Amino acid sequence: MEARIEKIKQQLQSQGYKLTPQREATVRVLLENEEDHLSAEDVFMLVKEKAPEIGLATVYRTLELLNELHVVEKLNFGDGVARYDLRGDNNKHHHHHLICVQCGSMQEIQEDWLGPLEERLEQEFHFTVIDHRLDFQGICKHCREKEREREQQAQKDDNADV
Amino acid sequence: MEARIEKIKQQLQSQGYKLTPQREATVRVLLENEEDHLSAEDVFMLVKEKAPEIGLATVYRTLELLNELHVVEKLNFGDGVARYDLRGDNNKHHHHHLICVQCGSMQEIQEDWLGPLEERLEQEFHFTVIDHRLDFQGICKHCREKEREREQQAQKDDNADV
DNA sequence: GTTCATGCAAACAATTTGCAAAATA
DNA sequence: TATTTTGCAAATTGTTTGCATGAAC
């Protein structure tokens, strides 16, 4: 944890930025909630618990800065709010999202499935890939089971009606 | 063109909606600019040329309606505006985006590269895929060539300096 | 004549910006 | 002291909503 903060501090300083207390608090919140996809508002509320004097604009400015430095990745799942994900050490994200259209849950796949495709892009399209984004919308395991139960229940009800 | 409008008209009517003149004008703009990814504002301005009395809210409502009917797909490229893409006949979009981070251009790949991956999701993750989205960020062919020219020029300048 | 759709203006939500004050190198 | 950074409030942007009017079956 401390090591990762130190690293981010150096990334900031190498570009002439400082790791102020507010920025550090923001980074800590991101580290502590690494598995989530927090919105700026989410981050703001969590940071406020530790540093109540912080302003929302500062959080936005910090997240934008971290995004430029590729410390976080700004994601957009189409719900009108930007979400921020800490990036791994390689500054490239190799994970994909499974978004359930029924319950809204989101699962991550921590593998990169696109290596062969990126090679093909380079060769066939002369396009140099820097980053990618792969999301799937669908029905998650959990909702699919519930759906099945509901169908069975409906069937019983139908039979009872007759 | 007329055939496609007729089809959309039937899709609307089958759900109890009408193809009003405003909606038709909106659909025509989408058809005429099928290769672009228009924002609501873009559509509004183009529709206004034909039907100046139309309101922006109507355009938003129409696009939202078409999205629900899966006539268009609402896309979000992270620039803060929703964009709308006409869907193909199969109501599923099988194309991917190459977004150049240098010039902002966007190229479409009209193939589906994800079939095998979706099968794997079904089997390994028990996730039923309804739709997907695959974007690549990188440097397009054009910018890469320009970059190379610029580097060569810089090299010459360096030599001149010495 | 009831239902559906429109245009306008106001409301809204997420984000950005201006600026004076505070912190830091 | 010169430069960043902050907090606050106001401004901006994209989008949605309320409502009275108008059109369509």
Side-chain angles (χ1 to χ4, degrees):
Chain A
M1 172 94 171
E2 299 309 315
R4 296 184 69 186
I5 296 211
E6 190 57 32
K7 182 168 180 192
I8 292 169
K9 183 175 178 182
Q10 280 166 18
Q11 279 182 271
L12 283 165
Q13 289 180 342
S14 74
Q15 307 290 315
Y17 300 111
K18 302 162 196 168
L19 185 63
T20 63
Q22 290 91 333
R23 286 179 183 164
E24 183 172 336
T26 304
V27 169
R28 280 185 190 277
V29 162
L30 291 172
L31 281 167
E32 287 162 10
N33 299 276
E34 198 164 6
E35 65 288 351
D36 298 328
H37 302 79
L38 301 177
S39 69
E41 204 90 27
D42 295 337
V43 173
F44 175 58
M45 289 196 314
L46 290 168
V47 172
K48 249 195 156 182
E49 292 173 9
K50 308 177 174 190
E53 74 289 355
I54 201 172
L56 178 57
T58 301
V59 171
Y60 270 105
R61 282 186 281 230
T62 300
L63 291 171
E64 192 53 41
L65 179 59
L66 294 174
N67 182 49
E68 274 166 31
L69 295 177
H70 300 288
V71 172
V72 302
E73 182 192 6
K74 194 173 177 178
L75 292 171
N76 215 308
F77 292 114
D79 59 350
V81 289
R83 299 179 178 277
Y84 299 85
D85 243 24
L86 267 181
R87 290 193 176 218
D89 284 337
N90 47 15
N91 270 357
K92 198 170 169 184
H93 74 296
H94 285 313
H95 66 257
H96 316 309
H97 295 108
L98 305 183
I99 303 160
C100 180
V101 298
Q102 224 151 86
C103 65
S105 74
M106 177 173 335
Q107 189 187 350
E108 279 191 11
I109 301 183
Q110 295 287 356
E111 301 170 43
D112 185 12
W113 290 5
L114 299 179
L117 266 53
E118 292 187 358
E119 273 174 40
R120 202 169 142 193
L121 276 181
E122 182 76 48
Q123 284 167 21
E124 286 182 31
F125 292 83
H126 307 284
F127 185 88
T128 308
V129 176
I130 293 176
D131 209 345
H132 61 236
R133 167 190 182 144
L134 175 56
D135 301 337
F136 294 94
Q137 288 88 37
I139 317 267
C140 71
K141 189 183 176 182
H142 192 67
C143 284
R144 214 165 59 169
E145 281 163 8
K146 272 199 296 191
E147 181 109 337
R148 215 160 280 159
E149 281 168 29
R150 194 143 18 93
E151 273 166 21
Q152 285 170 3
Q153 192 55 44
Q155 190 116 28
K156 276 191 208 157
D157 291 355
D158 271 10
N159 291 343
D161 281 358
V162 177
Chain B
M1 173 94 172
E2 299 309 316
R4 296 184 68 185
I5 295 210
E6 191 57 34
K7 182 168 179 193
I8 291 168
K9 182 175 179 182
Q10 282 167 16
Q11 279 181 272
L12 283 166
Q13 290 180 341
S14 74
Q15 306 289 317
Y17 300 109
K18 302 164 195 165
L19 184 65
T20 63
Q22 290 92 332
R23 287 177 183 165
E24 183 172 337
T26 304
V27 169
R28 279 185 191 278
V29 162
L30 291 172
L31 281 166
E32 287 162 11
N33 299 275
E34 197 163 7
E35 65 289 351
D36 298 327
H37 302 79
L38 301 177
S39 68
E41 204 89 26
D42 294 338
V43 173
F44 176 58
M45 290 195 314
L46 290 167
V47 172
K48 247 193 156 183
E49 291 173 9
K50 308 176 172 189
E53 75 289 356
I54 201 172
L56 178 56
T58 301
V59 171
Y60 270 103
R61 282 187 279 232
T62 301
L63 291 172
E64 192 52 41
L65 179 61
L66 295 174
N67 182 50
E68 275 166 31
L69 296 177
H70 300 287
V71 172
V72 302
E73 180 192 6
K74 194 173 178 177
L75 292 172
N76 215 308
F77 292 113
D79 59 350
V81 291
R83 298 180 178 279
Y84 300 84
D85 241 25
L86 266 180
R87 290 194 176 218
D89 284 338
N90 48 13
N91 269 0
K92 198 170 171 185
H93 73 298
H94 287 312
H95 66 257
H96 316 308
H97 295 107
L98 304 184
I99 304 160
C100 180
V101 298
Q102 223 152 88
C103 66
S105 74
M106 177 172 335
Q107 189 187 348
E108 280 191 11
I109 300 184
Q110 296 285 354
E111 302 171 40
D112 185 12
W113 289 6
L114 297 180
L117 267 52
E118 293 187 356
E119 272 174 39
R120 204 170 140 190
L121 276 181
E122 183 78 46
Q123 285 167 20
E124 286 181 31
F125 293 81
H126 306 284
F127 185 89
T128 308
V129 176
I130 293 175
D131 209 343
H132 61 237
R133 169 196 179 136
L134 175 55
D135 302 336
F136 293 94
Q137 287 89 37
I139 317 266
C140 70
K141 190 183 174 181
H142 193 66
C143 284
R144 215 165 57 168
E145 281 163 8
K146 271 199 294 190
E147 181 110 336
R148 214 160 282 159
E149 281 168 29
R150 195 145 14 95
E151 273 165 23
Q152 286 170 0
Q153 193 56 46
Q155 191 116 30
K156 275 190 209 158
D157 292 353
D158 271 8
N159 291 344
D161 282 355
V162 178

